[in-house]
Amino acid sequence: MAIIVLAEDDEAVRPFVKRALEADGHLVHAFENGEEALDFLCQTEKHIDLLLSDIKMPIMDGIELAGSVARILPKLPILLMTGYADQREGAKALQALIIDVIPKPFTLALIRAKVNETLIDNAKRL
Ligand SMILES: [Mg+2]
């Protein structure tokens, strides 16, 4: 079981991803923009295992969120997701800070596999 912070502004995608990860036994804290996710990450006393964030969101996007989180919580693995090829390119500047960028649309099986693979790899690193 891992504790995951999910940032996704799409009202359809957010519960879809949350339920998919909960089905694997993870605890998911879901937020609708980067600012809310960042506030939570700054305030929580829980150990968070993974940040999964959409890139294109209002108020604070996933790029800005990843940059801030990398400074505050440098060991927290970050996975980004986007439906836009140009944003996948833009995220290359963040390559050192993030694990991967997952292209949308994705299947339930793919997002679960990607998250679980990241959690296992990270556990091995520790
Ligand atoms: Mg979005």
Side-chain angles (χ1 to χ4, degrees), residues 8 13 16-17 52 81-82 102-111:
E8 168 61 77
V13 176
F16 168 84
V17 172
L52 175 60
M81 6 177 215
T82 185
I102 304 166
K104 286 182 184 172
F106 44 71
T107 62
L108 209 125
L110 185 133
I111 194 75

Side-chain angles (χ1 to χ4, degrees), residues 7-10 54-58 81 84 87 104:
E8 168 61 77
D9 63 313
D10 189 311
D54 184 31
I55 292 184
K56 192 172 164 66
M57 296 182 290
M81 6 177 215
Y84 304 88
Q87 292 184 346
K104 286 182 184 172

